[in-house]
Structure formats: structure tokens, C-alpha cells
Amino acid sequence: WEREDHTIAAASSLLARQVRRLLPSQPESVLIVGLGNRHLTADALGPLCTEKIIVTRHLKDTMPDVFRSFARVSAIAPGVLGLTGVETGEVVLGLCEKIRPDAIIAIDSLVSRKLSRLCRTIQLSDTGITPGGGIAPGRFPLDEQTLHPPVLALGIPTVVEARTLAADLCPNSPPEEELPPTSLIVTPKDIDALMVKSAKILGYAIDMALHTHLSVEDIESLLS
């Protein structure tokens, strides 16, 4: 799939159907939130994905006849607490109070509990997500309880902890929960290429899920 574009289109189409199933029926306005740190390759999935989103909120207001068949979509990559000093959830909450979306789609890089899932699994959840929760628990969650509109979370595992790696690769090692915790995080050597492809799959899938009349070729034409 890394070398053949038609597999990206097939994966995006399949994922789009799953996204539509988890979203509220025909949401009029959707906010896309690209979580993560754009400057850290393994954590840049969310910001990279927002670059593949067809945003239409401003166009629906200025050219309503032309964009009648499009959903009202806006997107933001709010950065991370270490760079902004503001919890991502606080940024999104303020934005929700202003634009009042019917649904939120959040995209983030994940920490995998299995080496076999690394950059090979797409995880969907309709219960929200906690930015940075895989590394530092107790953060501000993005979910329906805190933000009010329902939150659909999409993620791809891009890193594993060293003890997860040890437990998977060494059959005689103790179970992962018995190994000492460590701050060492591991990611594939070609993570930069994997992130570009992964962001394209997720971004195109979201576009097709929200703008149901568009094909992959239409999306690429509109984004070029």
C-alpha cells in the first residue's frame, strides 16, 4: 500500500463508510481537530491530516449556491500543551462555543500495545479521546460530556513503549505489566513516509464521509 495509490483510495473508501456509521445522521456542521505536535514526526498525524481536509464553512457562507451539496466543515490543528501553554481541550471547547458544530472528529497518533499494530491499524471510537493520554494520563478529555457535541476519534498507532517491544520480541520475558516502566518510545525508521500516507488515507476518508458525492479524484483535484 505504500507504493500503490489505488490501495490508498480503496482504504479511504472503506474507512469513509465506517466514519459515516459512527457520526450522527447527516450532521450539518462538523469540526475536525488534528491533535499532536507538527514538529515531532511520529506525533504529526493530526496536523498532517487537517491539510487533507476540504474545509467549507467560509465557502458555505460566501457562495451558498455553489457549495450547496457540501457539508459545513472547519478544521484546526491546535498544537500541544508544551508549545502553547493551553490544554488542547480548552482550545476546542472555546471553539465549540463559538461555531457550535453538530459533531467533532479528532485525529491523533496513538501508542500501541502490540508491535504488530504499529502503523498498520486504524482505530475508531465514538467515546472521544484524551490528547496526550497515552503518555501522560489525567489530561483534559475531548468527549461529549466536556464538549457537548459527540466526538468521533480516529487514530493510528505510531509508537510503542520499549517494554511493549521487549515483551513482544522476547518470548521468555515477563509480561509487559511486570516490566519496569520506561520513558523510551520506539517508532519505525520510515515513520516520515508512513505518516504522509496515513494522513492521506484518514483525510480522504473524512472528506468522503462528509461530502458524500466526492470521489478520491475529486478530492485530489480540490486540494491541489
Side-chain angles (χ1 to χ4, degrees):
W1 71 269
E2 292 182 56
R3 296 175 177 84
E4 299 177 3
D5 286 342
H6 73 273
T7 58
I8 292 179
S12 297
S13 298
L14 177 62
L15 181 58
R17 293 197 293 271
Q18 303 305 317
V19 170
R20 279 196 293 267
R21 289 177 59 188
L22 292 175
L23 283 172
S25 58
Q26 297 181 331
E28 181 180 343
S29 175
V30 179
L31 171 63
I32 313 299
V33 182
L35 302 170
N37 186 343
R38 187 185 298 271
H39 307 292
L40 186 62
T41 304
D43 194 35
L45 179 64
L48 288 174
C49 191
T50 59
E51 297 174 5
K52 303 298 181 183
I53 299 299
I54 298 173
V55 292
T56 56
R57 180 172 179 264
H58 59 307
L59 299 173
K60 294 276 286 185
D61 292 335
T62 56
M63 293 182 283
D65 293 336
V66 176
F67 288 90
R68 188 187 308 276
S69 60
F70 288 77
R72 183 180 296 269
V73 178
S74 48
I76 183 174
V80 293
L81 179 64
L83 295 177
T84 65
V86 182
E87 277 283 2
T88 301
E90 295 172 339
V91 176
V92 178
L93 178 60
L95 197 55
C96 287
E97 293 173 350
K98 178 65 177 179
I99 68 175
R100 300 186 181 280
D102 299 317
I104 296 170
I105 300 178
I107 307 103
D108 201 4
S109 303
L110 307 176
V111 180
S112 180
R113 294 297 300 272
K114 289 286 186 181
L115 181 60
S116 59
R117 298 174 185 165
L118 192 61
C119 293
R120 294 180 179 178
T121 303
I122 299 174
Q123 180 175 302
L124 297 89
S125 169
D126 60 359
T127 58
I129 190 170
T130 301
I135 304 297
R139 300 283 298 279
F140 191 118
L142 304 183
D143 55 30
E144 188 169 5
Q145 183 176 353
T146 58
L147 301 176
H148 306 305
V151 179
L152 171 61
L154 278 74
I156 293 178
T158 60
V159 298
V160 293
E161 292 187 11
R163 62 178 182 173
T164 301
L165 194 64
D168 278 1
L169 295 180
C170 302
N172 298 323
S173 70
E176 180 183 345
E177 57 272 12
E178 296 181 10
L179 293 173
T182 173
S183 60
L184 182 61
I185 299 292
V186 183
T187 193
K189 64 181 180 180
D190 56 344
I191 188 62
D192 52 345
L194 289 169
M195 294 297 278
V196 170
K197 297 287 188 179
S198 299
K200 183 179 288 189
I201 290 174
L202 266 61
Y204 287 6
I206 293 170
D207 287 331
M208 286 189 285
L210 300 179
H211 313 297
T212 55
H213 61 292
L214 295 182
S215 65
V216 169
E217 291 76 15
D218 296 330
I219 293 168
E220 290 181 337
S221 177
L222 289 168
L223 291 174
S224 61

